[in-house]
Amino acid sequence: MIFVGCAGWSLGREHWPEFPAEGTHLQRYAARLNSVEINSSFYRAHRRQTYERWADSVPDGFAFAVKIPKLISHELRLAGCAAALDEFLEQCAGLGDRLGCLLLQLPPSLAFDAVVAEAFFTALRERFGGAVVLEPRHESWCEAEPMLLDFRIAQAAVDPSRISSDTAPRGWAGVKYWRLHGSPRIYHSAYDSAFVQRLEQALQIAAAEGAATWCIFDNTASGAATGNALTLATLTSP
């Protein structure tokens, strides 16, 4: 399956005709798209019961990507994270089998430190065996690919590109994840039909190679993500 969705499930009024009229925003969203990235978990904790409610709101085959809290990535900077990891993973375990992957977005100021990274990935893998996707934003993380392979960590393809290794999915090949922020105006610009068609071909190739294949549109500030996701979902649907 190819998972296509947005960073969040808010539905702009201009897109309402594309979705069922009844239900919560998440229920309506999940009627047309088969995945979503939970970005709010980056900023604040959610109770396990909240994750359970979200899991109960979506159909079979729907998957959530959950963003690891900034407490871990930006404040603790991957060091001394055991207690924070335990709390976060206990909460998002409420998604059950709807939990598709975890997303770890790093700050631009966080350089690759092999000792810190290995300790963090070891602690994470002791607690979580599922898919993990990394979005680093410091050029030194280009050196990390051997470690990502060892720990089965995928590196996201990102647009606009932030570092030289993020123009295509890298790291562990069991997951391939595209994270598209909008270009040329980040978070606002819609992608044109030619871009979406090229993207669809890349996703089909990744899926044919056996990877769990994701594409999340984060160009949400002006509502463009929903339209792009709907177009791509139509192209990639069986």
Side-chain angles (χ1 to χ4, degrees), residues 158-234:
V158 179
D159 184 78
S161 175
R162 307 297 181 97
I163 60 177
S164 59
S165 65
D166 68 3
T167 56
R170 297 175 70 92
W172 185 58
V175 177
K176 295 193 176 180
Y177 196 105
W178 280 256
R179 195 160 191 257
L180 308 177
H181 301 292
S183 182
R185 187 182 179 199
I186 193 168
Y187 304 124
H188 288 267
S189 294
Y191 292 98
D192 63 24
S193 59
F195 180 95
V196 174
Q197 288 170 3
R198 291 193 302 272
L199 178 61
E200 183 263 341
Q201 294 171 1
L203 298 178
Q204 296 286 10
I205 291 170
E209 292 172 348
T213 303
W214 290 71
C215 183
I216 296 294
F217 289 95
D218 190 31
N219 50 340
T220 56
S222 298
T226 306
N228 281 152
L230 288 169
T231 299
L232 182 60
T234 300

Side-chain angles (χ1 to χ4, degrees), residues 3 34 105 140 234 237:
F3 295 103
N34 66 2
Q105 178 190 296
S140 60
T234 300
S237 61

Side-chain angles (χ1 to χ4, degrees), residues 82-128:
L85 271 174
D86 286 338
E87 182 179 3
F88 167 66
L89 291 171
E90 193 281 329
Q91 292 162 355
C92 67
L95 291 172
D97 62 6
R98 304 287 198 269
L99 175 55
C101 64
L102 302 180
L103 172 69
L104 176 62
Q105 178 190 296
L106 300 180
S109 62
L110 185 59
F112 176 62
D113 180 312
V115 174
V116 172
E118 183 172 11
F120 174 78
F121 291 140
T122 298
L124 177 60
R125 280 306 184 203
E126 288 172 349
R127 293 160 170 81
F128 182 73

Side-chain angles (χ1 to χ4, degrees), residues 46-100:
H46 298 300
R47 296 184 305 158
R48 184 185 178 106
Q49 294 93 323
T50 299
Y51 284 106
E52 290 172 349
R53 186 177 74 250
W54 289 338
D56 290 340
S57 298
V58 298
D60 291 343
F62 189 96
F64 293 86
V66 185
K67 198 169 181 181
I68 292 175
K70 68 175 182 177
L71 169 64
I72 293 170
S73 57
H74 288 56
E75 297 173 25
L76 295 174
R77 299 171 71 82
L78 307 184
C81 296
L85 271 174
D86 286 338
E87 182 179 3
F88 167 66
L89 291 171
E90 193 281 329
Q91 292 162 355
C92 67
L95 291 172
D97 62 6
R98 304 287 198 269
L99 175 55

